[in-house]
Amino acid sequence: MGNNIALVGNPNSGKSSIFNRLTGMRQQVGNYPGITVEQKTGNIRLPNQNVVQISDIPGSYSIHPYHKDDSLVLQLLTNHQTENFPELLLYVADATQLERHFLLLSQINDLNFPIILILTMTDVAKKEGIEINLAYLSEILQMPIVCVNGRNGEGIDSLKNLIQENLYQSVQRQGNFKDFPSYIDDVAQICETHNPYLALLYLQHFDKVDHLSEAQKNELQKIKDAHGHDVLDWQVKETMGRFDDIAPIMQKAIKYSKEDESSIFTQKVDRVLTHPFWGLIIFIVLNFLIFQAIFSWASYPMNWIESIFGNLSAWLKSVLPDNLLTQLLTDGLLAGIGGIVVFIPQIAILFALITFFEEIGYMARTVYLSDGLMRRLGMNGRSIISLMSGLACAVPAIMATRNISNWKERFITIMVTPFVSCSARIPVYTILVALVIPSSARVGIFNLQGIVMLGLYALGIGMALLAAFILHKILKSSPTGYLALELPQYKMPHWKNVAISVWNKVSTFVTEAGKIILVLSMMLWILATFGPGNAMQKAEEQARATAVTQQLTEAQIEHKVASARLEASYIGIIGKKIEPVIRPLGFNWKIGIALISSFAAREVFVGTMATIYSVGEDETNIQLKEKLKQDRFSDTGAPVYTLATCMALLLFYVFAMQCMSTLAVTKKETNSWLYPAIQFLAMTAIAYLAAWAAYQFWS
């Protein structure tokens, strides 16, 4: 077994800062084995130059698994057969909130693991007049303690030294859970001992520990039935008993020399930010400013990136031989990838602002603020986390519903979250909004494009809430659950955390989308470059003959020829087959191809359009929106991308389920294909009707 350690603690304890300080950029994101929960792992280089792996376990207030993912702490600390089983735990606690953070610490300490206690926010505690007797705490807890400032890295070297000393100590503590199955025969005896907590974990949660065999589970069930303990009542008594034990320790270990200024400041600010009326107004204004920033701040780097790809394509065509390989490189791969890379600035700004609000403590207030409204719609305050996470991606947003204990509230949240416009829709919105609204258009001091973008997001959120209300009235279930929530004190963000979070999320977005785009771009280029028999050659000859009689310019002739060849290609044939279905929406066959390909991922729409409209054209440096403006229906000659068509297409993408990954995660979370099928059909029907109505209204 390799050297593995784990980072444990409550949410908002500063774990992310410690993890980032220990690992820097030497970290990766994946799923815990057998559990669909995101984990962060990284490597630490110790003073003796040895490298150990560290896992950041999701924050938890207690070892009792109230929800599906809460059992993660229990599973990781009881299954010694896993590859990442920790030999040492780093427990992170906020020095300003020690009593609350010590509940989980005392529970884990009973498992007899080697633990290093890390105190964060000690600088804030000092300013608030909180004095902590570290020597007393270390003696009473029988574990080393180190103070670490996640903001500036102070104490990290001392922490690494402690890790090295404790990880390689000759006498290792052996916990009761390290050989969990071998203790089954002793459960009955444990139930009668002075420490019923261990028995509680066995009897209440054994079915959630994946590595137990069915025979072992059956044996534990017999013991559980024989004793007939009320485990919920036992759990409450155990928790309250622990706080009774913790309180006198805190009284001896902590002294307050002055009034808690930070808490007073937080309370004053919360009188406004959590106000039922003004808090909601501020929340709406903040979201409005976010989308203004997405357009205003991102326009300059987007133009720069667009120019780079255009010039690179033109340069490659000028230096490389004019053959199919060059066309594949410039018109296929480069056009498709460029159509995604150009939107990195907008996505980075969105992630940065969301992470910023998480860091300062505002996101918890949105949960509290929205609980009343969410309950009227069949959800609860925690549902807002999924809905807001949906601004980034519906897949982790749906997974986040595991924190919702009530089945009905969780199911409704899963079904409606995809209505919230995710970051993958940004490229589609941006290109279509830019087609119908000039970048210079303003309403007062605000950019009109940003206002329209906010309107699209508001429309998606509004539909999510309406759908939730309808499902709430249809579904019958047990009474609603409860909301237990910590409102952390406001604090300055750790800018390194923000930077690392944005880097991880954007790089994941680009690499995951890039895999799809790379394959689809090649497939689209092949389908658009070749056709059955000599159909494309005949189409070209006919187009040239027609162009001669129309006395067109050379550029117009080449454009007409390229369009004719594209229409006669394999992709043109596919598009023509589906065009009658989407023509009532104002869509042509090229849009139909993009709709189909973007089901793999919505952001592929722009890459697909870039690939389709680049094929056969020499003017590769013309921006995609200019090419779209020039497009015409082949039968009428009328412009395709009118205001009516763009509005219809925008509404289609606001409401449609254009994401196979979201359907897959819905299936996994509901354990049935029925619900994702309903989700897909309902959202597609709503999208089609909304697009049809928009096209009729603006035509």
Side-chain angles (χ1 to χ4, degrees):
M1 180 185 297
N3 296 125
N4 298 300
I5 60 179
L7 205 60
V8 189
N10 290 183
N12 303 309
S13 61
K15 285 196 308 96
S16 296
S17 298
I18 302 299
F19 182 78
N20 291 335
R21 283 287 176 184
L22 286 172
T23 64
M25 299 303 294
R26 301 182 300 275
Q27 53 186 254
Q28 59 186 9
V29 178
N31 284 343
Y32 287 104
I35 312 171
T36 316
V37 182
E38 184 181 275
Q39 73 161 337
K40 290 191 294 185
T41 59
N43 294 324
I44 307 174
R45 185 170 297 277
L46 299 178
N48 62 6
Q49 299 305 307
N50 285 350
V51 175
V52 298
Q53 179 173 287
I54 181 171
S55 298
D56 185 10
I57 301 178
S60 178
Y61 294 107
S62 169
I63 204 170
H64 299 296
Y66 294 99
H67 313 296
K68 185 175 181 180
D69 288 347
D70 287 342
S71 62
L72 186 60
V73 175
L74 179 62
Q75 293 211 29
L76 290 179
L77 300 186
T78 60
N79 189 356
H80 68 290
Q81 298 174 350
T82 60
E83 184 176 334
N84 293 335
F85 183 76
E87 300 170 41
L88 175 68
L89 298 182
L90 309 182
Y91 189 91
V92 183
D94 184 343
T96 65
Q97 305 287 336
L98 275 188
E99 184 169 358
R100 186 183 70 247
H101 287 243
F102 267 33
L103 172 63
L104 179 62
L105 174 63
S106 68
Q107 292 172 332
I108 293 177
N109 195 36
D110 274 1
L111 305 187
N112 241 8
F113 273 94
I115 300 175
I116 297 175
L117 175 59
I118 303 171
L119 297 185
T120 60
M121 304 293 288
T122 50
D123 54 336
V124 177
K126 185 177 182 180
K127 291 179 182 178
E128 295 175 358
I130 300 175
E131 299 178 4
I132 303 174
N133 189 333
L134 298 180
Y136 169 76
L137 273 183
S138 180
E139 180 181 358
I140 200 73
L141 296 174
Q142 290 295 295
M143 63 181 65
I145 301 176
V146 60
C147 298
V148 177
N149 189 321
R151 199 178 303 276
N152 58 26
E154 183 181 353
I156 286 293
D157 290 339
S158 299
L159 174 58
K160 289 182 177 180
N161 286 326
L162 277 177
I163 293 172
Q164 180 174 295
E165 293 170 11
N166 286 267
L167 190 61
Y168 300 109
Q169 60 187 352
S170 57
V171 180
Q172 296 188 358
R173 301 164 68 184
Q174 182 68 20
N176 289 324
F177 279 105
K178 287 197 174 183
D179 294 305
F180 186 92
S182 68
Y183 282 84
I184 289 177
D185 295 335
D186 300 326
V187 172
Q189 181 180 351
I190 293 174
C191 290
E192 308 300 334
T193 66
H194 64 282
N195 187 2
Y197 170 62
L198 296 179
L200 170 64
L201 281 177
Y202 284 123
L203 298 182
Q204 184 179 3
H205 308 313
F206 68 81
D207 57 324
K208 298 182 178 70
V209 182
D210 293 339
H211 60 279
L212 287 182
S213 68
E214 287 301 317
Q216 292 167 335
K217 290 183 178 181
N218 291 336
E219 186 65 27
L220 279 173
Q221 184 65 52
K222 292 178 183 178
I223 299 172
K224 181 177 180 180
D225 295 339
H227 284 77
H229 291 292
D230 183 345
V231 290
L232 180 59
D233 179 62
W234 200 359
Q235 176 177 318
V236 171
K237 291 180 179 178
E238 185 274 331
T239 300
M240 298 309 297
R242 286 187 180 274
F243 276 121
D244 289 341
D245 294 336
I246 293 170
I249 296 176
M250 294 296 100
Q251 291 175 0
K252 292 183 179 180
I254 301 177
K255 293 183 180 179
Y256 298 91
S257 60
K258 65 178 180 178
E259 198 171 16
D260 189 345
E261 297 176 359
S262 178
S263 295
I264 294 174
F265 172 78
T266 294
Q267 292 171 12
K268 289 181 178 179
V269 175
D270 275 346
R271 291 193 190 108
V272 179
L273 293 186
T274 61
H275 189 275
F277 176 75
W278 293 113
L280 181 61
I281 296 298
I282 292 172
F283 176 71
I284 294 173
V285 170
L286 286 175
N287 279 276
F288 178 80
L289 294 176
I290 285 175
F291 293 108
Q292 282 291 311
I294 287 175
F295 265 94
S296 301
W297 299 349
S299 60
Y300 300 105
M302 287 178 69
N303 292 336
W304 179 66
I305 294 171
E306 209 169 43
S307 175
I308 287 178
F309 273 90
N311 293 333
L312 178 60
S313 178
W315 178 76
L316 289 173
K317 284 193 172 185
S318 67
V319 299
L320 295 176
D322 185 12
N323 54 32
L324 287 177
L325 186 60
T326 299
Q327 293 173 25
L328 171 61
L329 176 62
T330 57
D331 298 335
L333 300 182
L334 202 59
I337 295 174
I340 295 300
V341 175
V342 71
F343 297 103
I344 288 179
Q346 289 185 324
I347 295 168
I349 291 172
L350 176 64
F351 284 137
L353 292 174
I354 290 177
T355 306
F356 170 80
F357 287 124
E358 289 177 347
E359 281 280 311
I360 65 175
Y362 180 70
M363 292 297 285
R365 272 74 186 177
T366 66
V367 174
Y368 170 78
L369 193 63
S370 63
D371 187 55
L373 173 62
M374 293 293 105
R375 288 186 182 280
R376 295 188 185 96
L377 302 175
M379 300 180 283
N380 73 31
R382 292 190 184 277
S383 299
I384 200 68
I385 296 293
S386 291
L387 295 179
M388 293 194 68
S389 297
L391 293 172
C393 179
V395 173
I398 289 175
M399 291 179 183
T401 62
R402 297 175 181 184
N403 289 324
I404 303 172
S405 57
N406 181 272
W407 174 86
K408 176 181 174 181
E409 295 170 350
R410 181 170 184 251
F411 177 77
I412 291 176
T413 308
I414 288 173
M415 296 299 286
V416 305
T417 292
F419 277 117
V420 178
S421 292
C422 65
S423 57
R425 286 175 167 109
I426 290 180
V428 184
Y429 291 170
T430 301
I431 194 71
L432 294 175
V433 169
L435 279 174
V436 294
I437 300 176
S439 59
S440 58
R442 312 189 78 79
V443 175
I445 63 172
F446 298 109
N447 184 297
L448 182 57
Q449 292 182 340
I451 294 175
V452 173
M453 176 76 99
L454 177 61
L456 294 171
Y457 273 76
L459 192 60
I461 294 172
M463 179 55 71
L465 299 181
L466 176 60
F469 180 75
I470 294 172
L471 287 173
H472 175 46
K473 294 302 181 182
I474 294 174
L475 297 175
K476 304 295 182 182
S477 75
S478 58
T480 56
Y482 61 91
L483 176 66
L485 179 69
E486 173 195 1
L487 295 181
Q489 293 185 4
Y490 292 106
K491 59 183 180 180
M492 287 297 294
H494 291 188
W495 296 110
K496 185 175 181 180
N497 289 355
V498 175
I500 291 177
S501 176
V502 171
W503 171 262
N504 287 338
K505 291 177 180 177
V506 171
S507 60
T508 299
F509 176 87
V510 172
T511 53
E512 292 302 317
K515 295 175 185 177
I516 300 173
I517 293 165
L518 186 64
V519 175
L520 284 180
S521 293
M522 294 179 67
M523 291 176 60
L524 289 169
W525 180 85
I526 293 171
L527 292 172
T529 303
F530 301 98
N534 59 351
M536 295 182 68
Q537 183 179 351
K538 288 183 177 180
E540 179 178 350
E541 293 172 354
Q542 185 177 355
R544 290 190 181 278
T546 304
V548 171
T549 62
Q550 295 176 340
Q551 297 182 339
L552 302 178
T553 64
E554 186 64 29
Q556 291 173 327
I557 292 174
E558 291 304 317
H559 181 77
K560 190 175 185 66
V561 168
S563 297
R565 287 182 59 85
L566 189 60
E567 194 168 344
S569 67
Y570 288 116
I571 200 170
I573 294 172
I574 296 173
K576 288 290 184 179
K577 293 291 185 182
I578 64 174
E579 189 174 40
V581 178
I582 60 176
R583 186 63 181 267
L585 312 182
F587 302 167
N588 66 354
W589 61 271
K590 296 178 183 177
I591 296 176
I593 293 299
L595 291 178
I596 294 174
S597 63
S598 64
F599 180 66
R602 294 182 184 97
E603 63 270 29
V604 175
F605 173 87
V606 177
T608 300
M609 300 304 282
T611 301
I612 291 175
Y613 284 91
S614 291
V615 172
E617 297 188 26
D618 292 329
E619 299 171 295
T620 54
N621 61 332
I622 299 178
Q623 296 179 350
L624 177 58
K625 61 177 178 285
E626 296 300 324
K627 296 180 181 180
L628 298 182
K629 288 180 180 179
Q630 298 169 9
D631 198 19
R632 299 288 188 272
F633 284 108
S634 57
D635 52 352
T636 66
V640 174
Y641 291 90
T642 61
L643 174 62
T645 299
C646 288
M647 293 305 298
L649 195 52
L650 280 170
L651 289 183
F652 186 89
Y653 269 94
V654 168
F655 298 131
M657 169 60 82
Q658 291 291 106
C659 183
M660 65 173 67
S661 298
T662 301
L663 290 175
V665 77
T666 298
K667 186 268 176 186
K668 184 172 182 61
E669 296 301 309
T670 61
N671 199 30
S672 170
W673 277 113
L674 173 63
Y675 301 119
I678 294 174
Q679 199 177 43
F680 173 77
L681 293 174
M683 293 182 67
T684 302
I686 293 171
Y688 190 94
L689 291 174
W692 177 83
Y695 185 71
Q696 300 303 316
F697 179 82
W698 272 285
S699 292

